[in-house]
Amino acid sequence: MRRVLDRPRDVRMSIDARLEVRVAEILRKQLEALKKDKGAAVVIDPATGDLLAAVSLPLPPDPEVNASGTVDAASLTPPPGDTNPYLDRARFGLYPPGSTFKVVTAMAAMRKDFSLIHKTYECVRLPDGRVGNFLKGSKRPIRDDVMDTAPHGTLDMEHGIVVSCNAYFAQLGFYDVGAQALLDTANVLGIAAASPNTVAQLNKSLAQSSYGQGQVVVSPFQMARVAATVANGGAMPLGRWITDETNTRTAPPQPVLPADAAGTLGNFMREVVLNGTGRRAASASAPVAGKTGTAELASDPSHAWFIGFAPYNGTGRKIAVAVLVENGVYGGTAAAPVASEIVDAAVKLGLIQP
């Protein structure tokens, strides 16, 4: 018994405590400014998959101790109507990814036929005044965001990513990528693209799933790993947070894209930040490549996403980031500024170079 009691109980983790504290402060400040209370942020090292920071808000309250010296159970009772407010959203929360999933659809297209990056589709004015397009055989239009008041016109993949055009990605997925290739790519990345996760089921909502709606669900950790895959030359790191002797398995990065294809996709993501929907991340002290996301919900405000990596085109260490603001509406305004501040914090801490 004494040997059991005396043995070391230390757990070694990949978390950088300094960055963890700063990420929590940055996310909390943004949630307060937006009058929201739920969100998550993840930072990983693309080369190793080491989790450097993982923040999920809100945190459980400090327990209240009553006069008898025991914890008052009422102090830990969740708010009415909220059955799991303290879920670890960063690693285990599942959400529709919205337009951040367009990076996965782009990967699937490149894996199937790299020349698809040059394939063009139309985004036009719809009869109801919105912008988007119809798919062959369907009377239900694919609509872009209500704030997209002007049609995007003729788009290739780069332009489709930069302006985050739903119509482009719906047509790309429906006509050229197909359910099998999209499912295969999502599976490699550990993402469930349908429920059940089969080709037949994905086919039922292929157009919508291709721009991150449908039945696709992801965690912030998984989407940080998508960004890390692009940053790591097309190889997806497994990801870990325990680094001691209890976790000695070191699986090599999983190849997803050839390095030149990953470089092309990274260039497109850089344009998102410079000239597209992710401009709120352009002020970071290291160049950021990324993708915004607005994940629509049936009856609540959309979830706001941003995924990306920095420094873009850097030769040293990089970080990959995913930010989720529950019901934050637009990723470009609610999540991208958080990612920018996280990159600034990583530079100040010496984790990456500008």
Side-chain angles (χ1 to χ4, degrees):
M1 177 63 75
R2 175 50 54 187
R3 280 190 311 222
V4 172
L5 293 174
D6 289 346
R7 69 186 179 189
R9 287 176 174 77
D10 296 338
V11 176
R12 290 196 294 276
M13 302 183 69
S14 59
I15 296 290
D16 185 295
R18 304 166 303 161
L19 185 64
E20 177 80 6
V21 170
R22 284 292 297 124
V23 171
E25 291 172 346
I26 292 165
L27 182 61
R28 184 178 290 108
K29 181 185 69 174
Q30 179 70 335
L31 291 178
E32 290 174 353
L34 296 170
K35 294 181 171 55
K36 303 296 179 182
D37 61 354
K38 296 181 177 69
V42 174
V43 185
I44 64 176
D45 184 324
T48 64
D50 284 354
L51 188 67
L52 302 177
V55 173
S56 176
L57 295 176
L59 296 174
D62 292 331
E64 297 178 8
V65 179
N66 57 33
S68 64
T70 59
V71 172
D72 183 358
S75 69
L76 300 178
T77 302
D82 199 342
T83 58
N84 196 8
Y86 311 125
L87 170 73
D88 182 352
R89 291 169 168 77
R91 293 182 297 164
F92 305 121
L94 291 177
Y95 304 87
S99 293
T100 58
F101 192 75
K102 291 169 182 173
V103 175
V104 178
T105 303
M107 288 180 176
M110 290 178 171
R111 282 159 57 96
K112 186 173 184 178
D113 181 355
F114 187 75
S115 70
L116 287 174
I117 68 169
H118 303 299
K119 185 73 178 286
T120 60
Y121 300 98
E122 297 294 320
C123 176
V124 301
R125 178 79 61 190
L126 297 170
D128 63 1
R130 295 278 296 274
V131 304
N133 211 331
F134 289 89
L135 298 173
K136 289 179 182 177
S138 175
K139 296 181 180 179
R140 178 185 175 189
I142 300 295
R143 293 183 175 92
D144 275 279
D145 189 82
V146 67
M147 298 300 291
D148 288 321
T149 56
H152 296 127
T154 302
L155 306 95
D156 60 9
M157 185 181 290
E158 180 176 10
H159 191 192
I161 288 178
V162 171
V163 299
S164 199
C165 181
N166 292 348
Y168 170 85
F169 277 92
Q171 292 172 90
L172 176 67
F174 188 81
Y175 294 130
D176 287 299
V177 174
Q180 185 68 66
L182 184 59
L183 188 76
D184 289 347
T185 303
N187 283 342
V188 171
L189 295 162
I191 292 171
S195 180
N197 198 33
T198 65
V199 169
Q201 186 68 15
L202 180 56
N203 254 323
K204 295 177 182 178
S205 59
L206 179 58
Q208 291 75 22
S209 298
S210 296
Y211 58 88
Q213 296 292 155
Q215 296 181 334
V216 186
V217 289
V218 298
S219 70
F221 173 79
Q222 288 170 331
M223 291 312 296
R225 201 165 56 175
V226 169
T229 301
V230 182
N232 198 38
M236 182 196 74
L238 179 64
R240 65 172 186 170
W241 41 87
I242 303 297
T243 59
D244 60 23
E245 63 278 0
T246 66
N247 188 28
T248 57
R249 293 186 302 109
T250 53
Q254 175 72 39
V256 179
L257 281 177
D260 57 347
T264 297
L265 186 51
N267 294 341
F268 295 169
M269 292 170 69
R270 178 59 177 163
E271 284 299 308
V272 169
V273 173
L274 291 178
N275 300 305
T277 58
R279 286 188 289 268
R280 295 287 185 93
S283 61
S285 51
V288 177
K291 182 71 192 76
T292 58
T294 297
E296 295 182 3
L297 305 174
S299 57
D300 294 313
S302 302
H303 295 323
W305 283 91
F306 184 87
I307 66 170
F309 64 90
Y312 165 77
N313 270 355
T315 57
R317 188 188 198 187
K318 295 181 175 69
I319 59 169
V321 179
V323 177
L324 165 75
V325 177
E326 285 195 23
N327 310 121
V329 185
Y330 289 113
T333 55
V338 175
S340 179
E341 288 194 50
I342 290 172
V343 170
D344 288 344
V347 171
K348 289 179 180 178
L349 292 170
L351 296 175
I352 58 174
Q353 299 298 316

